[in-house]
Amino acid sequence: MWKKGGMIMQIAFTYMGTVVGAGFATGQEILQFFTRFGYWGSLTIALATAMFIWLGTKMMLISSDIQANSYEDLNKTLFGERLGGWISFFMMFILLGVTAVMLAGAGSIFEENWNFSYQAGLLITIAGCFILLRKGMNAILAVNSIVVPMMLLFTGIVLYDTFTTPESDRWLTLVTDQSPMAAWSAPFLYAAFNLSMSQAVLVPLGASVRDKKAIKTGAWIGGIGIGFMLLAGHIALSLHMPGIQQYAIPMGGIARQLGHTAQWIYIFLIFAEIFTTLIADIYGLTLQMRQRVSWSPTIITIGILILCYLMSQIGFGPLLSTLYPLFGLISLGWLILIIRHRKSPHKPRDER
C-alpha cells in the first residue's frame, strides 16, 4: 500500500514539475494566459485544470497501452505513421531550442544572483544534468519529488500573504478590456502547449507504470495541483495589477515583498524548475534519438548537452519566436486528436 502511494505521488509530482516550468514559476505564463483577463481568469483556470486532469490521464494511459518508447510512438498513434513522424521531428527541434534557452536561463541565474560567471553556471548545470540523467526516469521522479513540494509550500506562503493584504479579493472583481473570446481561448492554448511539450517525459512515465489506477490517481492529483498553483498565482498577481505587468519576473516582484529569505528561496526554486525542465527535455530527446540512431544513451545525452551549450552561446530567441506560433498550431491539432482518440487497437500490458 505504501509502495503504491509513493508511486502515485511520484507520478503526481512529476506531472506538476513537468508542466510547472520556469515560465509558470516566474508568473509570466499565468499573467499572459489568465490574469490579464481579469475575473474571467479564475473560471478559465478551472477549465484548464479540467483539461490537465482529463488529458494528462489519457496521454499516460494511451502511452501505457501502446507501450510507447518515446513521444514519437504516441504521435504516430494520434497522427498516423508518416505525419506523426514529421511532427515528432519538429517537436525534437523545438525541444532542443527550449532546452538551450533553459540552459541559458540557468547560466544567467548563476551570474546575476550567485556570483558565478555565466559560463561556469552553464557548465555546473550541464554536469548536474549529466550525472542525474545516468539514472534515467528514476532521477526525474526523485528531483520532482523534492522540488514540487517546495514549490507547493512557497505557493501556499504567497497565497497566505495575499489573503492577509487589503483588497485581496481583486481576483473576483478585476475588470479587463480583453475580449471574452480571447479569454476563453487562452486555457485551450495553454493546455495544448504545455501538454504537448510535456510528452517528452509523461509518455515514457506512463509506459513505465503498469498499474492503471496509479496512473489515473497520480494524474488527478497532479492536475489538481497544477490548478491550485495556477489559481494561487492568479490571486497574488491580481492584487498587484496592472503595475505587475511591467516586471519580467512578476512573481519575483511579489517575493521581494516577503523579505530577503523568501526572495532567496524563490530564486532557488526558479533555478530548480529550470533544472527539472532541462533534465525532462533532455531525457525525452535521448529516447527520441535512440529510435533514430544506434548510439548509446550516454553518447546521445552528451551530444545533446554539447549542442545545447553551443546554442546557448549565440542565443536562440529569434528562432524560437518564429517557431513558437507554428508549434502552437500543431499543439492545438494535437489537443483535438487526443480528445478524439478512442481505445488504442494495441493490446494493453497486463497490470500487476
Side-chain angles (χ1 to χ4, degrees), residues 173-187:
T173 59
L174 188 65
V175 295
T176 179
D177 56 1
Q178 302 287 334
S179 71
M181 183 176 292
W184 286 99
S185 64

Side-chain angles (χ1 to χ4, degrees), residues 27-169:
Q28 272 294 353
E29 286 186 2
I30 300 173
L31 187 63
Q32 295 301 320
F33 283 93
F34 302 105
T35 305
R36 69 189 181 100
F37 298 111
Y39 63 85
W40 290 109
S42 56
L43 298 174
T44 55
I45 283 171
L47 177 57
T49 302
M51 285 192 285
F52 279 120
I53 293 170
W54 174 32
L55 299 177
T57 303
K58 192 169 186 179
M59 187 202 312
M60 285 190 271
L61 287 175
I62 294 171
S63 302
S64 181
D65 284 341
I66 66 174
Q67 303 181 55
N69 291 314
S70 76
Y71 60 83
E72 182 166 1
D73 291 336
L74 176 65
N75 284 326
K76 286 181 176 179
T77 299
L78 296 176
F79 293 94
E81 191 74 21
R82 178 176 293 182
L83 184 58
W86 277 107
I87 287 174
S88 294
F89 182 79
F90 180 73
M91 282 186 63
M92 181 171 64
F93 188 56
I94 286 290
L95 279 171
L96 271 172
V98 170
T99 305
V101 170
M102 289 290 113
L103 183 59
S108 297
I109 287 177
F110 274 91
E111 183 179 34
E112 294 172 9
N113 298 282
W114 295 335
N115 296 319
F116 283 82
S117 71
Y118 177 74
Q119 298 299 327
L122 293 180
L123 294 174
I124 291 169
T125 305
I126 286 172
C129 287
F130 179 74
I131 291 168
L132 283 173
L133 282 167
R134 289 178 65 85
K135 299 183 181 298
M137 179 59 74
N138 289 333
I140 296 174
L141 294 172
V143 170
N144 280 293
S145 295
I146 296 169
V147 172
V148 173
M150 291 177 64
M151 192 69 191
L152 285 167
L153 178 61
F154 182 82
T155 302
I157 292 170
V158 170
L159 190 61
Y160 173 79
D161 181 73
T162 301
F163 280 133
T164 59
T165 305
E167 297 187 27
S168 60
D169 61 348

Side-chain angles (χ1 to χ4, degrees), residues 210-279:
R210 296 179 182 272
D211 190 333
K212 301 295 197 302
K213 289 183 179 179
I215 291 176
K216 291 176 182 177
T217 307
W220 265 84
I221 295 171
I224 292 169
I226 293 166
F228 165 72
M229 286 190 277
L230 278 173
L231 184 60
H234 169 63
I235 291 170
L237 291 167
S238 295
L239 179 64
H240 301 279
M241 285 287 283
I244 198 72
Q245 294 180 96
Q246 68 182 319
Y247 289 96
I249 303 178
M251 290 298 290
I254 294 173
R256 274 196 291 272
Q257 300 177 17
L258 298 176
H260 180 75
T261 301
Q263 187 179 0
W264 190 92
I265 293 171
Y266 177 72
I267 291 168
F268 172 77
L269 285 174
I270 290 289
F271 173 77
E273 289 295 349
I274 288 174
F275 190 75
T276 57
T277 303
L278 266 173
I279 61 173

